[in-house]
């Protein structure tokens, strides 16, 4: 009787271990996909922001709705990146959100700094994306 319980227990333990490993693989894949999606959103947000800055430079009219949307998008991305453990990139996104929240009060030279910061942010996101894709 003890031998039968042991055999059943080992079989159950093995079955549980296989299930656990499969769940872990799925979690890793899901986490990786979450990271890829968040990083892609950073690149898209950077491009949207760059296009808006070009519009401002060419036409001079700032669109408050667009600034609000950019502030929200960058801030939401910062939270998502924080959740994924990408703190440095999250911090930069949070700064972009803050900049857009107070952009109407910003001096003209801040636009140039924002453009340079966007290029760096986009480059960092693409670099992390490349690393994830290579794994």
């Amino acid at each position: 009787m003890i031998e039968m319980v042991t055999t059943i227990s080992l079989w159950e333990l093995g079955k549980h271990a296989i299930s656990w490993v499969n769940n872990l693989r799925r979690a890793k894949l899901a986490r990786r996909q979450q990271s890829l999606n968040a990083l892609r959103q950073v690149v898209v947000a950077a491009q949207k922001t760059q296009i808006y800055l070009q519009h401002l430079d060419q036409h001079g009219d700032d669109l408050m709705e667009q600034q609000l949307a950019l502030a929200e998008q960058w801030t939401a991305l910062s939270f998502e990146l924080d959740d994924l453990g990408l703190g440095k990139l999250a911090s930069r996104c949070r700064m972009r959100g803050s900049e857009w929240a107070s952009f109407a009060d910003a001096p003209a030279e801040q636009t140039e700094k924002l453009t340079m910061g966007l290029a760096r942010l986009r480059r960092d996101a693409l670099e992390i994306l490349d690393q994830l894709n290579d794994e």
Side-chain angles (χ1 to χ4, degrees):
M1 183 70 159
I2 293 175
E3 204 173 324
M4 185 174 191
V5 171
T6 305
T7 304
I8 292 172
S9 298
L10 287 175
W11 182 77
E12 286 294 325
L13 181 62
K15 191 170 103 174
H16 177 71
I18 290 169
S19 175
W20 181 78
V21 168
N22 286 333
N23 286 337
L24 184 61
R25 283 187 185 133
R26 279 195 295 271
K28 285 177 94 176
L29 183 61
R31 179 100 172 154
R32 179 185 167 126
Q33 193 58 48
Q34 258 185 314
S35 298
L36 289 170
N37 289 338
L39 291 165
R40 288 174 181 147
Q41 288 177 44
V42 170
V43 174
V44 169
Q47 289 174 333
K48 281 183 179 180
T49 303
Q50 188 62 46
I51 290 167
Y52 180 66
L53 287 172
Q54 289 171 352
H55 171 84
L56 277 178
D57 188 45
Q58 292 172 3
H59 303 287
D61 58 335
D62 52 333
L63 308 169
M64 201 59 167
E65 302 94 34
Q66 184 66 28
Q67 291 174 21
L68 174 62
L70 289 170
E72 288 175 350
Q73 185 172 14
W74 284 115
T75 303
L77 273 171
S78 75
F79 295 140
E80 193 170 341
L81 292 166
D82 260 338
D83 291 345
L84 293 168
L86 298 170
K88 185 178 174 183
L89 197 57
S91 177
R92 289 190 184 149
C93 288
R94 204 170 3 271
M95 285 190 313
R96 298 288 88 79
S98 294
E99 288 167 348
W100 283 111
S102 60
F103 190 76
D105 304 327
E109 65 268 6
Q110 188 171 354
T111 304
E112 187 177 326
K113 287 181 185 177
L114 184 58
T115 301
M116 291 182 340
L118 277 172
R120 184 175 175 197
L121 183 67
R122 184 172 179 266
R123 186 185 65 236
D124 289 349
L126 288 170
E127 193 175 295
I128 297 169
L129 267 172
D130 286 343
Q131 290 170 5
L132 285 173
N133 285 326
D134 288 342
E135 290 179 0

